[in-house]
Amino acid sequence: MRRYFTRKVITYVLAFFVGATIDWAIPHLMPGDPIQLYLSNFNLQPSGYSSVYKTMAQAYGTSLPLWDQYLHFWDGLLHGSLGISIYAFPATVTSLIWQALPYTLALLVPAIVLSYIAGNRFGALAARRKVLDNTLLPIGYIFQAMPYAWLALAVPYLFGVIWHVFPISGGYAQGLLPHWDWSFIGSLLSHWFLPFVTVFLVSFGGWAIGMRNLVIYELENDSSRFMRSLGAREGLIRRYAYRNASLPQLSGLAIQLGVVIGGNIVAEIAFHYPGLGSLIVNAISREDYFLLQGIFIFIVAGVLIANFIIDIIYVTVDPRTRLAMQGATA
Amino acid sequence: MSVKVESLSIAYRTLSGDVVPVDRVSFSLADGEIMGLAGESGSGKSTLGTSLIYLDGRMVRLGGRVELDGAELPITDRNGMRHRRMTDVSLVPQYAMSALNPTRRIRRLFTDLLRSHGVRYRDVEQEVKRRISLVGLAEDVLDKYPFELSGGMRQRVTIVLSTMLDPSLLIADEVTSALDVSSQRAVGELLMEFRDRQYVKSVIMITHDLSILAEVADSIMIMYAGRLAEKADTDTIVNSPLHPYTQALLASLPEVGVRYSDGELTGIPGRPPSVANPPAGCRFRDRCPFAMDKCATQPPFEEIKPGHYVACWKVKEELA
Amino acid sequence: MSEVTSDAAPLTAVAPGAGTGAAPAGRARRRSDFLHYALRNPKLIFGLSLELLFVLAAIIGPMISPHDPNTIYATHLAPSHAYWLGTDQLGHDVFAQLVNGLRTSYLVGALGAICAAIVGMILGFLAGWRGGLLDEVLQLVTNIIIMIPALVLLIVIGAYLKTRGLLFEGVFIGLTTWPWVARAVRAQTFTLKSRDFVDLARLSGRRSVRIVIEEIAPNMASYLFLVVVLLFGSSMLLAASYDFLGLGPTDVVSLGTMMDTANNWSALLLHAWWSFIPPGVALTAVVGALLIANVGLDEVFNPKLREQ
């Protein structure tokens, strides 16, 4: 087990390194000067321009040689600093992220967990009931094929515009100041619901289909055949098959994380939901590159940590990984 | 009579028509008898064996019946059969090495399967442990996962599991095929011991290997291209077989200690006919050195001598 | 989003040609078997027909459309005889945009799939064939790339480019999704490498390249095809998300940019359903047909999956 985890940790550390380096490298290797771009928004006198430029360049370190900037970048990173935002100056990137994070997590975590669980149950059910299978399968494929963007438009259109059940934009009602009482929480929830449904639906289809295929495969394999030959009830065989099928599904979850995050961002943007997605759009439109880079690293780190958590869960669930790594095979 | 099979025919439904790997097969087994069911690949022996316990969705019974301990065995009734499986009829499958569920401990498999038949593991735990030791495994095997055991160990666990409820009939499908010679001997002796201790009443041992049957089986039944060719007790089959196919089979086996410098080791020329499109009449006709015109019609599988059944016109004529 | 999650990857059931003598006859029978099943598989037929319909729409649509996708006409018009799908908030003809957008989306999807296929096949094959350290390194790279969210990476890159064309989008999507192909190819190469007929070819003295082309590639082809088809679909979806965020190509219209326009100009509140429903439905239908056809194709290649 130690070998298993050491390998995984090395992969994650390397992935983070690569991700962070790409993140740092892109703006520095791209044509254009962020400070210049920023300053072009102001009608500065040429005489004042150069001094402002110099100050900013010094503050952001852009006048240093590249490798020096790279080292400074890592220095800051390891101290937990992601830099200072340009458009929201002097707020730090970290503080902006922390503000947006709860909204994103509130959307992402329930959507992933619920779609995974529900998708698995439905998929397993479809695997054994032909009638359900014939309806679930096409529905699942349709949802899997839907672009996140479209659901993010169609769902609010249906529930927000045609049937005025839910609001279609914002994190909470405009005019409300955040404070902990029921009206605010209610507002939070009603604004949360539609974006949540959007992210949930697309993932749900994929899990259901995947689980259905896996369960069908398990129901036909040698151990299922044997149990059937020995007179086991079909329910027992199904339970075994479900257990066996859950394992590859779990590793599939780790892989799909990147995709779901992408979808989450799209949903947030479409709903003007104040999470990381909207922050990204703000960063792009205000050309706040430091904010953008900070968000990227943060997301990469988050995905890697989530992967690691899933790895731990996987080891506890799969006896083969647990024991094989201890060399217990005869 | 423990087992009686009357004119059983089983077919597979395929796109290009019915394939009939078991064609009007009749035989019987006495209590305590280990019968070897031998034949080439594609002879239908595995289908015959498994049809007695589990007829899957693709197989259809065209005719015939099966009797076990005097009562009919409802092989086509999935629900009816469920209660008979493992309790009256049991199976050690061809794929015994992968028959145990990889994500459950062995004890769990025992518990769940026994509970399917209304037996509590706690009540039979002592017996389980006794039998595990009998087959040469340590008791802690029950705590292990299948992948922690070697292939041979897994097979032995499967044998114990399959016979836990003392079935009347055990079908052992190619249990020795993947083993080396000494392991084959060990498994063969295991089956005999289980029979002697009455953990099973009768055994049908399906194999293509006559040599193991010579050691273990009380009687041998030869199957060719979906039909029965010959059945008799082991001694007779090995030393004085009557059916030309059996004779050719035995002649093609190498003998220990005999040098073949003076002659060639011959096989049987030709190939068995496909059961998808069988020829009319005796199926061995094209390869039989004694074929006559009469062989264009199928010879009946009859008792030629007491306890000795053959399906061959030549044999019938010679002994008439 | 469609991703390749089938770990129980069914190997093709096609038997390899045993020798030069038996090969031509064997292959001919295989091909007719394949066609027999292909023409009878409802999923394949349905998916393929639907897909063909849209491909035709993408090719012929722009030719028969009475309006130009980039010209501004009257804004916010409901579908009518003059404007078949109405006009969007900026005054573009939705139908013209739709059929042209289909073209763009297909192009980007194809670019992405081809790019991913080429890179993935080369790297995956090298990893599988050589094994050892090369394999370990490539596996590491693959895992790293899979873990980094593709869309976020594309956002970060795209945000810095002032002009963004189709080529960039397609190629970059390919560069973020090639790990799927590489994995599949590597797994297949491993299994096929140890098969008897490859050893036979080796023993008969054939050079490695010939072995690859004649023995291994045909067996992998079917599985690879399935993977690439899936990748085509997911590339289109990824491109749509990307365009939706406003980072898409600045000079052409795509299904994603249509939805972006609708979102930015309050199509929802103005009840202008014709400006965002068609592109979404079109994309869903295109990718959905691809997925269903894929399942059907999988059944044709692998008899075990066929319902008896």
Side-chain angles (χ1 to χ4, degrees):
Chain A
M1 190 145 55
R2 210 181 308 151
R3 243 192 69 205
Y4 172 75
F5 274 118
T6 343
R7 272 192 107 174
K8 289 279 176 176
V9 169
I10 291 179
T11 313
Y12 294 142
V13 168
L14 270 170
F16 183 71
F17 187 76
V18 168
T21 306
I22 292 179
D23 185 57
W24 175 89
I26 291 173
H28 285 91
L29 299 176
M30 288 282 162
D33 184 348
I35 298 184
Q36 190 179 51
L37 269 160
Y38 178 69
L39 289 180
S40 62
N41 290 321
F42 308 97
N43 281 322
L44 293 173
Q45 299 279 358
S47 50
Y49 186 88
S50 53
S51 53
V52 175
Y53 186 89
K54 235 185 275 179
T55 322
M56 290 203 75
Q58 221 170 15
Y60 286 107
T62 52
S63 48
L64 294 169
L66 269 182
W67 59 265
D68 207 351
Q69 294 189 45
Y70 186 58
L71 288 173
H72 273 98
F73 167 73
W74 274 108
D75 184 42
L77 197 59
L78 292 171
H79 282 101
S81 149
L82 287 170
I84 301 182
S85 153
I86 297 182
Y87 95 90
F89 186 89
T92 57
V93 167
T94 338
S95 66
L96 290 172
I97 292 181
W98 277 125
Q99 269 184 325
L101 190 61
Y103 288 98
T104 298
L105 285 180
L107 211 53
L108 202 57
V109 175
I112 290 181
V113 170
L114 287 175
S115 67
Y116 183 72
I117 294 178
N120 279 358
R121 296 261 165 221
F122 266 86
L125 251 142
R128 59 182 223 237
R129 239 166 252 169
K130 201 61 189 187
V131 172
L132 192 63
D133 194 27
N134 286 333
T135 44
L136 182 86
L137 215 53
I139 292 179
Y141 279 121
I142 291 177
F143 274 117
Q144 214 185 2
M146 276 187 197
Y148 277 106
W150 189 64
L151 264 184
L153 292 173
V155 165
Y157 186 61
L158 191 60
F159 289 102
V161 181
I162 296 187
W163 304 328
H164 294 267
V165 188
F166 289 100
I168 62 169
S169 113
Y172 45 86
Q174 289 173 329
L176 268 186
L177 283 171
H179 55 287
W180 291 115
D181 77 355
W182 284 119
S183 66
F184 183 64
I185 293 180
S187 178
L188 268 180
L189 282 173
S190 73
H191 281 83
W192 165 87
F193 188 70
L194 287 185
F196 162 76
V197 166
T198 310
V199 183
F200 173 87
L201 280 177
V202 181
S203 316
F204 173 80
W207 294 125
I209 291 177
M211 192 60 172
R212 169 212 179 256
N213 291 335
L214 283 170
V215 170
I216 287 182
Y217 176 75
E218 289 294 328
L219 284 175
E220 297 297 317
N221 74 4
D222 286 344
S223 52
S224 298
R225 270 204 294 162
F226 181 57
M227 286 199 281
R228 238 174 252 132
S229 305
L230 289 193
R233 247 181 285 260
E234 201 62 30
L236 178 69
I237 299 177
R238 259 184 255 132
R239 247 183 297 142
Y240 274 56
Y242 189 83
R243 179 81 184 280
N244 288 3
S246 303
L247 295 171
Q249 273 289 75
L250 196 59
S251 30
L253 178 63
I255 296 176
Q256 287 282 61
L257 276 179
V259 173
V260 184
I261 287 180
N264 193 318
I265 291 178
V266 168
E268 283 184 12
I269 291 172
F271 283 94
H272 302 285
Y273 195 73
L276 288 177
S278 299
L279 204 59
I280 289 179
V281 159
N282 275 335
I284 295 177
S285 59
R286 319 285 183 108
E287 289 172 351
D288 187 348
Y289 299 117
F290 298 107
L291 182 59
L292 194 60
Q293 287 166 244
I295 299 176
F296 179 74
I297 292 193
F298 189 79
I299 292 181
V300 168
V303 170
L304 293 176
I305 293 176
N307 264 294
F308 190 64
I309 294 176
I310 293 180
D311 282 335
I312 295 179
I313 297 179
Y314 192 88
V315 166
T316 50
V317 185
D318 183 8
R320 282 171 289 196
T321 341
R322 214 187 323 144
L323 292 172
M325 291 298 152
Q326 288 168 357
T329 44
Chain B
M1 291 293 148
S2 182
V3 183
K4 195 154 99 154
V5 175
E6 285 171 18
S7 197
L8 184 65
S9 296
I10 308 276
Y12 279 98
R13 293 258 135 94
T14 70
L15 274 180
S16 21
D18 280 353
V19 175
V20 189
V22 177
D23 193 354
R24 278 163 287 174
V25 164
S26 304
F27 64 92
S28 53
L29 266 181
D31 272 357
E33 181 176 342
I34 297 183
M35 178 181 87
L37 174 52
E40 298 176 50
S41 306
S43 56
K45 56 190 195 303
S46 269
T47 312
L48 174 57
T50 43
S51 71
L52 295 177
I53 185 168
Y54 187 78
L55 214 58
D56 75 38
R58 299 168 298 167
M59 303 206 276
V60 183
R61 176 177 58 177
L62 294 178
R65 68 198 292 269
V66 179
E67 243 182 51
L68 184 62
D69 292 337
E72 174 159 8
L73 199 62
I75 56 175
T76 46
D77 178 7
R78 289 278 185 90
N79 282 328
M81 272 304 279
R82 194 182 78 72
H83 299 283
R84 312 293 293 274
R85 292 187 187 122
M86 200 174 171
T87 37
D88 296 331
V89 194
S90 199
L91 171 74
V92 179
Q94 218 166 353
Y95 47 87
M97 314 261 177
S98 51
L100 302 171
N101 193 294
T103 55
R104 287 272 201 266
R105 291 185 206 265
I106 308 258
R107 177 181 289 115
R108 184 68 185 276
L109 287 170
F110 271 82
T111 315
D112 286 340
L113 273 170
L114 289 171
R115 194 162 4 114
S116 295
H117 295 280
V119 177
R120 278 204 314 196
Y121 177 76
R122 247 179 302 155
D123 298 338
V124 294
E125 183 163 15
Q126 282 306 103
E127 184 63 25
V128 171
K129 291 192 178 157
R130 213 177 302 142
R131 296 197 189 183
I132 293 277
S133 317
L134 183 67
V135 299
L137 296 170
E139 262 177 37
D140 65 5
V141 138
L142 290 167
D143 291 317
K144 297 217 162 108
Y145 289 93
F147 64 86
E148 295 180 79
L149 308 174
S150 71
M153 293 163 83
R154 265 180 266 162
Q155 192 184 51
R156 275 178 278 167
V157 169
T158 312
I159 292 177
V160 173
L161 182 54
S162 301
T163 54
M164 210 52 231
L165 297 178
D166 295 347
S168 297
L169 173 62
L170 177 69
I171 299 166
D173 194 355
E174 303 270 14
V175 291
T176 54
S177 307
L179 305 173
D180 60 271
V181 181
S182 45
S183 304
Q184 285 181 358
R185 184 85 188 262
V187 172
E189 286 179 356
L190 208 119
L191 288 175
M192 290 199 292
E193 170 121 34
F194 270 49
R195 185 270 314 267
D196 293 339
R197 289 176 177 241
Q198 304 206 330
Y199 293 163
V200 297
K201 273 208 235 152
S202 1
V203 180
I204 296 181
M205 229 180 128
I206 304 175
T207 176
H208 52 261
D209 180 5
L210 282 172
S211 42
I212 185 69
L213 292 180
E215 309 265 337
V216 173
D218 301 318
S219 62
I220 300 181
M221 189 162 82
I222 310 277
M223 202 163 164
Y224 184 78
R227 299 235 179 93
L228 293 181
E230 185 167 9
K231 176 178 190 281
D233 60 74
T234 309
D235 251 340
T236 317
I237 292 282
V238 171
N239 296 317
S240 41
L242 289 178
H243 195 285
Y245 176 59
T246 323
Q247 290 172 341
L249 258 185
L250 286 161
S252 62
L253 288 175
E255 262 182 70
V256 176
V258 178
R259 282 215 232 132
Y260 282 84
S261 45
D262 299 321
E264 281 177 15
L265 197 61
T266 51
I268 311 176
R271 303 169 114 252
S274 139
V275 277
N277 213 0
C282 175
R283 299 202 171 154
F284 190 58
R285 190 174 169 215
D286 292 334
R287 305 163 80 187
C288 184
F290 311 108
M292 315 177 289
D293 284 337
K294 196 159 189 208
C295 302
T297 48
Q298 170 68 14
F301 187 67
E302 295 179 326
E303 192 165 11
I304 299 291
K305 292 193 209 166
H308 192 160
Y309 302 72
V310 188
C312 178
W313 290 124
K314 164 187 166 275
V315 169
K316 197 167 170 184
E317 272 176 21
E318 276 184 10
L319 292 172
Chain C
M1 282 249 266
S2 63
E3 295 290 358
V4 183
T5 47
S6 55
D7 297 281
L11 261 182
T12 168
V14 175
T20 39
R27 279 205 204 108
R29 189 170 45 84
R30 253 186 283 150
R31 229 175 271 138
S32 67
D33 259 353
F34 168 75
L35 240 89
H36 168 96
Y37 283 116
L39 292 173
R40 276 165 186 68
N41 190 299
K43 299 187 185 117
L44 183 58
I45 303 222
F46 172 72
L48 219 56
S49 328
L50 193 58
E51 198 66 49
L52 246 89
L53 204 72
F54 276 94
V55 171
L56 269 163
I59 298 178
I60 302 183
M63 294 190 248
I64 64 170
S65 159
H67 300 287
D68 180 64
N70 292 315
T71 319
I72 307 238
Y73 303 97
T75 63
H76 189 58
L77 290 175
S80 63
H81 182 69
Y83 301 99
W84 299 344
L85 282 173
T87 60
D88 69 9
Q89 315 312 103
L90 296 173
H92 302 121
D93 176 36
V94 174
F95 179 78
Q97 288 218 314
L98 186 69
V99 288
N100 280 284
L102 259 178
R103 263 196 197 177
T104 316
S105 295
Y106 269 123
L107 270 167
V108 176
L111 260 174
I114 291 176
C115 182
I118 293 179
V119 176
M121 280 196 235
I122 295 177
L123 291 181
F125 184 74
L126 277 174
W129 187 249
R130 292 299 193 81
L133 186 63
L134 186 63
D135 180 36
E136 293 281 344
V137 169
L138 278 170
Q139 269 195 290
L140 195 65
V141 172
T142 308
N143 285 334
I144 291 178
I145 294 189
I146 285 185
M147 277 193 277
I148 298 179
L151 187 63
V152 184
L153 184 59
L154 285 173
I155 290 175
V156 172
I157 295 178
Y160 289 101
L161 297 174
K162 286 309 149 194
T163 49
R164 299 174 282 263
L166 274 185
L167 194 62
F168 155 75
E169 194 173 352
V171 168
F172 263 89
I173 287 179
L175 288 179
T176 51
T177 49
W178 65 258
W180 297 109
V181 181
R183 267 194 181 186
V185 172
R186 173 185 171 273
Q188 285 272 310
T189 312
F190 263 139
T191 17
L192 291 176
K193 187 169 74 157
S194 53
R195 285 271 203 91
D196 296 331
F197 62 96
V198 174
D199 290 332
L200 210 68
R202 268 216 192 99
L203 282 175
S204 69
R206 287 228 184 85
R207 285 178 59 234
S208 289
V209 181
R210 282 199 75 189
I211 298 181
V212 169
I213 299 178
E214 285 178 13
E215 308 284 349
I216 297 193
N219 281 288
M220 268 206 284
S222 54
Y223 186 58
L224 229 58
F225 189 67
L226 295 175
V227 173
V228 173
V229 165
L230 277 180
L231 226 53
F232 185 66
S234 59
S235 295
M236 292 180 82
L237 288 178
L238 190 55
S241 287
Y242 188 67
D243 295 343
F244 179 73
L245 299 182
L247 297 167
T250 43
D251 44 355
V252 286
V253 64
S254 82
L255 296 175
T257 55
M258 288 177 74
M259 292 192 274
D260 183 29
T261 311
N263 189 36
N264 285 333
W265 298 93
S266 313
L268 293 184
L269 293 172
L270 294 171
H271 286 260
W273 54 268
W274 56 88
S275 60
F276 63 89
I277 302 253
V281 169
L283 197 52
T284 307
V286 164
V287 177
L290 225 54
L291 289 178
I292 294 182
N294 201 345
V295 173
L297 210 58
D298 203 10
E299 285 177 3
V300 170
F301 284 137
N302 188 352
K304 263 197 267 182
L305 289 175
R306 288 185 218 130
E307 263 89 351
Q308 248 82 27

